[in-house]
């Protein structure tokens, strides 16, 4: 059978996009709508906000930390078995969680088990997507990631409805059944008939070179700080609104509003990142600063209109910074070290995702409301954006990619979501 | 009773000597004393004996009416402990004040004693004082001004309301749940919980570690029920007892068994299994078809190559150039 050296850029690839769409919906949509469950857990276990926040933060951290493992396994076994296993693990975690009698059970079942399930689904899918697309890779990835926004919008009120009919145990059981669809999505990931990509320069050599790369390390620190504050509203907004005497259903709807503006922000930012000349770092700093400011303003807003406006602003700016966060990386480390760099970045920034929500919960327990939590989250984002100032080429007039013409053709449209396999194909 | 400016018009049932005392006091004193609203033109204070002896707090409330008031004016007052109450109604009219008939009623009973009437300019004032000791004195007190039309002002005295949850509380067999009742700014003497058996209210006893009643603050109560069974579901009532009355709130508890969410769960799992099977089978089928057509294609390709080779060297040259540019 003849083997292609180029991705088909279509055909079955669009089915893979569909599968990736549903997967990102089921992984990140569920994770983001967990703020709705948060209130129930606090009431059911009588525990403090800090301890309950660990559930989601462990899940987020394991998902990010385990992504390199997912990519590595899928290189060895192909994406299909890995994603299907991940789906089963994620659903199993939720199933076990519905029988939980203490918070520790939830840490282990949702945090560890479901988190590792999610780690095994998302990274291999994005890698598979890159096998099917090269010219239209960013479009395909962008379309796939819209699943996140749409599901956060739909899931928050849906979970609230489930909770009002089945309480948290029954709702977790049904979310587990929902997560089982990840297995079906995994079944769609037909391995493409491509020639194997040879690895470049050995992973260990890349790793050591990255660890000595000053700008990369500073960027990692910046993203870790940003990651610390980033997830806090998704977890604590519903609880904060209930503290302000909002009913549960309108509070869940506010989360959906933030999710929609997140979606719009991603698309606009992706387009803007292409259209505006100069380093992408500046745009990233702009969005990060705005996100930090809107977070810090949350405690000040009491009137519903102000809260809705802030939710829209937060959603838009945080969605806008997400695609750019991946785009800056190839400008810093070059496409050859992208695979290693991305894996390392995700592992280190997961620390921020792990510690952020419990810190916010702890501040809430100590002060009695979420004012300090949101202000501190905003502060983390602002300090992260401050560090971005120290990156090279921040103040230059043109981006580094223009200085390497041979990279320009294949690299420019792909910058938005740089994926592990990209650097390998160049050689 | 007809109003006469400057004089008090008091009702009957106080003992003779205290009536005499009041008459003397009325003519003697000019300024109003402690507790009453200082801006009202009542010259003296006919305190009943109970009011002089007790040290309850004073509650003063005022309603203004005019001859043109179309709707009855109501004021809702929340009371949780015994108090001395001072109610005042003022009525402004352009007509003759003497022609106005002033009465007070509690609920629908006419009150005969302890109210004063006085007039200043074109406004008629009436004041009623009494003490609320227990629930018998709570209710609606109304002042009536009768000209051609009757104008009415009502003071509604109620015990504080309790807040429970409007939606039912859902829990599962074997779990434990906490029912909460709270009161905004009040401090009841006692809290009691009742569960309903059919239509009978049965007090919840603290039995065998199943029910635990406690509350962290005085204005709330929590009923914790452990080891729930399906029979534990139903309506629960929390009762707050005050010196001046009782207040209650209803909470609904629903206890589900695991079978309830299990059915949709199994349905969705079955659907996923079918979906996966369908996808994999579909792929196997299309692969089989592709294999057959590929075998046909390979045969054609080998034929093509055989004929290419025999054409000579020219076909190879462009291929080399292409490889060189790729190696950069």
């Amino acid at each position: 059978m003849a083997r292609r050296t180029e991705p088909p850029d279509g055909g079955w690839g669009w089915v893979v996009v569909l599968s990736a769409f549903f997967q990102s919906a089921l992984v990140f949509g569920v994770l983001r709508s967990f703020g709705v469950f948060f209130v129930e857990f606090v009431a059911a276990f009588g525990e403090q906000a800090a301890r309950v926040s660990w559930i989601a933060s462990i899940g987020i951290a394991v998902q990010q930390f385990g992504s390199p493992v997912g990519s590595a396994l899928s290189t060895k076994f192909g994406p299909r078995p890995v994603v299907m296993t991940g789906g089963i693990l994620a659903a199993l975690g939720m199933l076990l969680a519905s029988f939980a009698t203490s918070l520790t059970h939830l840490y282990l079942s949702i945090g560890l088990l479901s988190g590792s399930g999610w780690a095994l689904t998302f990274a291999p899918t994005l890698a598979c997507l890159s096998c099917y697309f090269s010219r239209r890779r960013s479009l395909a990835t962008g379309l796939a990631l819209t699943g996140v926004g749409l599901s956060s919008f739909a899931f928050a009120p849906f979970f609230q409805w489930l909770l009002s009919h089945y309480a948290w145990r029954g709702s977790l059981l049904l979310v587990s059944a929902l997560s089982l669809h990840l297995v079906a999505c995994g079944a769609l990931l037909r391995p493409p008939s491509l020639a194997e990509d040879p690895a470049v320069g050995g992973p260990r050599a890349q790793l050591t070179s990255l660890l000595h790369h000053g700008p990369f390390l500073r960027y990692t620190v910046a993203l870790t700080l940003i990651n610390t504050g980033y997830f806090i509203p998704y977890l604590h907004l519903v609880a904060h609104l209930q503290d302000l005497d909002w009913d549960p259903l309108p509070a869940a709807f506010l989360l959906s509003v933030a999710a929609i503006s997140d979606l719009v922000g991603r698309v606009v930012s992706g387009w803007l990142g292409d259209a505006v000349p100069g380093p992408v770092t500046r745009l990233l700093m702009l969005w990060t600063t705005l996100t930090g400011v809107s977070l810090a303003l949350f405690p000040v807003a009491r009137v519903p209109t102000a809260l809705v406006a802030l939710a829209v602003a937060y959603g838009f700016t945080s969605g806008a910074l997400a695609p750019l966060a991946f785009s800056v990386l190839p400008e810093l480390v070059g496409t050859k070290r992208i695979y290693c760099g991305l894996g390392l970045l995700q592992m280190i920034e997961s620390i921020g995702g792990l510690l952020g929500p419990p810190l916010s919960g702890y501040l809430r327990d100590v002060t009695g409301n979420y004012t300090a939590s949101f202000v501190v989250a905003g502060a983390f984002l602002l300090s992260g954006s401050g560090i971005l100032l120290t990156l090279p080429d921040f103040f230059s007039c043109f981006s580094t990619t223009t200085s390497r013409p041979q990279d320009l053709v294949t690299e420019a449209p792909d910058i938005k979501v740089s994926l592990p396999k990209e650097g390998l194909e160049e050689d | 009773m007809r109003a006469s400016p400057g004089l008090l018009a008091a009702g009957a049932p106080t003992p003779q000597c205290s009536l005499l005392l009041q008459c003397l006091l009325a003519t003697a004193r000019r300024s109003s004393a402690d507790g009453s609203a200082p801006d009202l033109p009542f010259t003296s204070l006919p305190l009943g004996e109970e009011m002089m002896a007790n040290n309850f707090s004073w509650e003063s409330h005022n309603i203004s009416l005019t001859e043109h008031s179309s709707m009855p004016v109501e004021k809702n007052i929340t009371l949780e402990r015994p108090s001395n109450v001072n109610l005042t109604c003022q009525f402004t009219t352009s007509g003759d004040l003497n022609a106005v008939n002033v009465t007070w009623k509690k609920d629908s009973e006419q009150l005969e004693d302890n109210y004063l009437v006085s007039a200043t300019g074109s406004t008629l004032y009436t004041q009623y004082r009494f003490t609320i000791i227990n629930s018998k004195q709570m209710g609606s007190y109304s002042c009536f001004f009768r000209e051609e039309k009757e104008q009415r002002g009502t003071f509604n005295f109620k015990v504080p309301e309790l807040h429970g949850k409007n939606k039912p509380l859902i829990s599962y067999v074997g779990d434990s749940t906490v029912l909460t009742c709270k009161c905004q700014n009040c401090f009841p003497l006692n809290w009691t919980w009742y569960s309903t058996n059919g239509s009978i209210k049965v007090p919840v006893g603290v039995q065998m570690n199943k029910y635990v009643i406690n509350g962290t603050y005085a204005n709330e109560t929590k009923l914790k029920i452990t080891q729930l069974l399906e029979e534990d579901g139903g309506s629960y009532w929390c009762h707050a007892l005050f010196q001046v009355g009782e207040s209650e709130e209803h909470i609904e508890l629903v206890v589900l068994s695991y079978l309830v969410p299990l059915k949709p769960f199994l349905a969705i799992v079955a659907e996923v299994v079918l979906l996966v099977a369908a996808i994999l089978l579909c792929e196997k089928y299309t692969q089989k078809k592709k294999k057959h057509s590929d075998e046909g294609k390979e045969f054609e390709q080998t034929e093509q190559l055989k004929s290419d080779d025999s054409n000579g060297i020219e076909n190879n040259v462009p291929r080399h150039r292409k490889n060189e540019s790729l190696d950069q």
Side-chain angles (χ1 to χ4, degrees):
Chain A
M1 192 166 15
R3 295 203 124 195
R4 288 196 179 107
T5 51
E6 261 179 28
D9 254 316
W12 190 256
W14 295 113
V15 179
V16 177
V17 170
L18 190 70
S19 159
F21 174 85
F22 282 116
Q23 284 187 45
S24 59
L26 288 171
V27 172
F28 292 109
V30 169
L31 210 51
R32 286 195 182 183
S33 310
F34 236 67
V36 176
F37 276 97
F38 175 76
V39 179
E40 292 289 317
F41 288 147
V42 170
F45 291 98
E47 291 276 4
Q48 295 181 315
R51 305 201 65 203
V52 180
S53 308
W54 281 106
I55 303 174
S57 64
I58 293 178
I60 295 169
V62 172
Q63 188 267 320
Q64 287 186 322
F65 205 80
S67 311
V69 176
S71 328
L73 283 176
S74 75
T75 348
K76 192 157 185 212
F77 297 108
R80 177 179 281 172
V82 178
V83 177
M84 289 176 82
T85 317
I88 294 179
L89 281 181
L92 194 64
M94 293 276 175
L95 179 67
L96 291 176
S98 73
F99 293 106
T101 50
S102 79
L103 267 190
T104 325
H105 296 167
L106 288 177
Y107 294 157
L108 293 175
S109 54
I110 298 181
L112 215 54
L113 202 55
S114 288
S116 16
W118 291 327
L120 289 180
T121 55
F122 200 59
T125 310
L126 279 190
C128 187
L129 204 63
S130 71
C131 291
Y132 273 92
F133 291 92
S134 76
R135 263 187 319 113
R136 289 189 271 183
R137 189 178 293 161
S138 47
L139 177 66
T141 320
L143 283 175
L145 288 181
T146 54
V148 182
L150 284 175
S151 65
S152 316
F153 160 69
F155 282 177
F158 175 59
F159 286 179
Q160 194 58 57
W161 179 86
L162 276 182
L163 281 172
S164 66
H165 283 255
Y166 294 104
W168 63 269
R169 284 190 197 272
S171 306
L172 278 177
L173 200 64
L174 292 175
V175 172
S176 154
L178 198 65
S179 300
L180 206 58
H181 286 91
L182 283 170
V183 180
C185 292
L188 285 173
L189 296 178
R190 226 181 264 184
S193 40
L194 283 186
E196 284 305 309
D197 301 314
V200 56
R204 187 165 289 177
Q206 285 189 359
L207 191 67
T208 39
S209 75
L210 274 176
L211 287 175
H212 288 104
H213 194 209
F216 174 74
L217 290 175
R218 290 197 291 261
Y219 186 62
T220 313
V221 172
L223 273 197
T224 310
L225 286 171
I226 292 173
N227 221 25
T228 315
Y230 185 79
F231 290 102
I232 290 176
Y234 286 105
L235 199 56
H236 288 152
L237 190 58
V238 176
H240 174 63
L241 291 172
Q242 293 203 346
D243 273 355
L244 294 177
D245 289 326
W246 279 50
D247 279 325
L249 205 56
F253 270 116
L254 193 67
L255 213 58
S256 326
V257 165
I260 300 180
S261 69
D262 173 282
L263 189 68
V264 174
R266 273 171 204 256
V267 174
V268 168
S269 158
W271 170 79
L272 210 63
D274 266 348
V276 169
V280 189
T281 327
R282 279 186 222 166
L283 276 178
L284 181 62
M285 193 202 154
L286 171 72
W287 297 124
T288 322
T289 316
L290 287 177
T291 315
V293 166
S294 64
L295 264 187
L297 284 179
F298 253 112
V300 177
R302 300 273 153 177
V303 188
T305 25
L307 281 168
V308 171
L310 273 181
V312 170
Y314 165 74
F316 187 85
T317 47
S318 65
L321 73 87
L324 294 184
F326 286 115
S327 319
V328 174
L329 205 55
E331 288 183 7
L332 277 182
V333 302
T335 52
K336 293 187 174 56
R337 291 184 290 182
I338 255 299
Y339 182 23
C340 214
L342 194 66
L344 195 60
L345 184 65
Q346 291 238 300
M347 281 175 83
I348 298 180
E349 75 176 2
S350 69
I351 300 175
L354 179 68
L355 296 178
L359 177 66
S360 159
Y362 170 74
L363 286 172
R364 155 61 162 91
D365 293 329
V366 163
T367 61
N369 59 27
Y370 284 100
T371 311
S373 313
F374 280 103
V375 169
V376 166
F380 271 114
L381 277 156
L382 287 171
S383 54
S385 72
I387 296 186
L388 286 176
L389 274 173
T390 66
L391 290 178
D393 302 325
F394 187 85
F395 295 105
S396 75
C397 294
F398 51 89
S399 65
T400 47
T401 51
T402 55
S403 58
R404 281 189 259 152
Q406 71 267 28
D407 291 345
L408 189 63
V409 176
T410 46
E411 205 172 299
D414 305 334
I415 279 180
K416 267 172 214 46
V417 232
S418 42
L419 301 162
K421 296 263 179 175
E422 211 181 5
L424 307 177
E425 275 166 354
E426 289 294 301
D427 293 323
Chain B
M1 241 200 217
R2 290 205 174 257
S4 13
L7 288 181
L8 52 81
T14 49
Q16 299 282 17
C17 51
S18 90
L19 179 61
L20 193 57
L21 187 66
Q22 283 168 19
C23 289
L24 288 172
L25 286 170
T27 46
R29 264 186 263 168
R30 292 214 62 88
S31 60
S32 35
D34 48 284
S36 64
D39 46 322
L40 293 175
F42 287 107
T43 53
S44 68
L45 203 51
L47 286 177
E49 285 155 0
E50 326 89 63
M51 292 190 201
M52 289 172 104
N54 71 47
N55 52 357
F56 295 149
S57 55
W58 276 91
E59 291 264 330
S60 291
H61 299 281
N62 189 13
I63 284 185
S64 295
L65 295 165
T66 65
E67 59 185 324
H68 307 293
S69 307
S70 50
M71 287 188 308
V73 179
E74 289 205 14
K75 204 171 179 190
N76 290 322
I77 302 157
T78 314
L79 207 62
E80 64 175 279
R81 37 183 97 80
S83 312
N84 294 315
V85 183
N86 182 8
L87 300 175
T88 315
C89 288
Q90 59 189 52
F91 181 63
T92 315
T93 180
S94 49
D96 181 17
L97 291 179
N98 283 332
V100 181
N101 194 3
V102 183
T103 43
W104 281 89
K105 279 194 187 161
K106 176 190 184 303
D107 298 318
S108 32
E109 237 178 66
Q110 185 122 352
L111 297 166
E112 302 288 340
D113 63 340
N114 271 359
Y115 64 89
L116 310 175
V117 185
S118 120
T120 313
S122 60
T123 313
L124 201 57
Y125 296 91
T126 177
Q127 185 185 68
Y128 181 60
R129 290 179 177 210
F130 62 105
T131 311
I132 296 186
I133 305 177
N134 55 38
S135 56
K136 289 210 262 296
Q137 287 99 30
M138 299 284 278
S140 293
Y141 290 83
S142 308
C143 57
F144 294 89
F145 294 96
R146 182 166 219 102
E147 259 186 324
E148 299 113 29
K149 271 193 316 174
E150 185 173 70
Q151 296 293 350
R152 171 190 185 166
T154 312
F155 301 88
N156 294 314
F157 285 92
K158 294 195 184 126
V159 279
E161 273 185 6
L162 302 177
H163 301 284
K165 275 211 185 124
N166 3 19
K167 318 175 292 169
L169 209 61
I170 305 184
S171 197
Y172 285 89
V173 174
D175 258 350
S176 58
T177 183
V178 176
L179 306 171
T180 318
C181 250
K182 11 179 131 161
C183 188
Q184 206 58 33
N185 288 316
C186 66
F187 301 98
L189 297 174
N190 203 3
W191 289 99
T192 352
W193 284 92
Y194 294 89
S195 62
T196 44
N197 227 351
S199 56
I200 319 163
K201 276 195 200 166
V202 175
V204 166
V206 188
Q207 77 220 38
M208 296 175 295
N209 295 333
K210 189 169 165 81
Y211 300 104
V212 177
I213 303 178
N214 61 11
T216 26
Y217 306 106
N219 67 338
E220 69 176 14
T221 181
K222 296 190 182 177
L223 174 67
K224 180 167 183 175
I225 313 179
T226 50
Q227 289 147 31
L228 283 169
L229 303 166
E230 277 194 65
E231 304 89 58
D232 287 329
S235 294
Y236 284 82
W237 297 86
C238 65
H239 257 255
L241 186 69
F242 301 95
Q243 279 172 296
V244 291
E246 287 188 341
S247 185
E248 66 177 14
E249 181 64 42
H250 164 246
I251 297 183
E252 184 81 27
L253 177 67
V254 177
V255 181
L256 301 171
S257 79
Y258 265 115
L259 293 176
V260 175
L262 198 64
K263 283 183 248 170
F265 173 74
L266 290 175
I268 300 179
V269 170
E271 175 237 328
V272 172
V273 169
L274 284 174
L275 209 59
V276 173
I279 294 172
L280 292 175
L281 282 175
C282 203
E283 183 172 326
K284 260 213 175 117
Y285 180 65
T286 46
Q287 264 187 359
K288 262 194 207 152
K289 266 175 74 179
K290 212 174 169 198
K291 227 186 198 173
H292 285 306
S293 61
D294 268 353
E295 274 164 5
K297 268 203 201 135
E298 273 183 10
F299 184 66
E300 285 174 29
Q301 273 185 354
T302 45
E303 293 287 295
Q304 183 82 357
L305 282 172
K306 279 188 195 150
S307 60
D308 276 350
D309 272 340
S310 59
N311 278 349
I313 314 171
E314 301 120 46
N315 290 333
N316 290 335
V317 173
R319 264 191 234 133
H320 278 302
R321 274 216 201 109
K322 212 166 117 188
N323 283 336
E324 274 172 10
S325 65
L326 276 178
D327 279 338
Q328 273 177 357

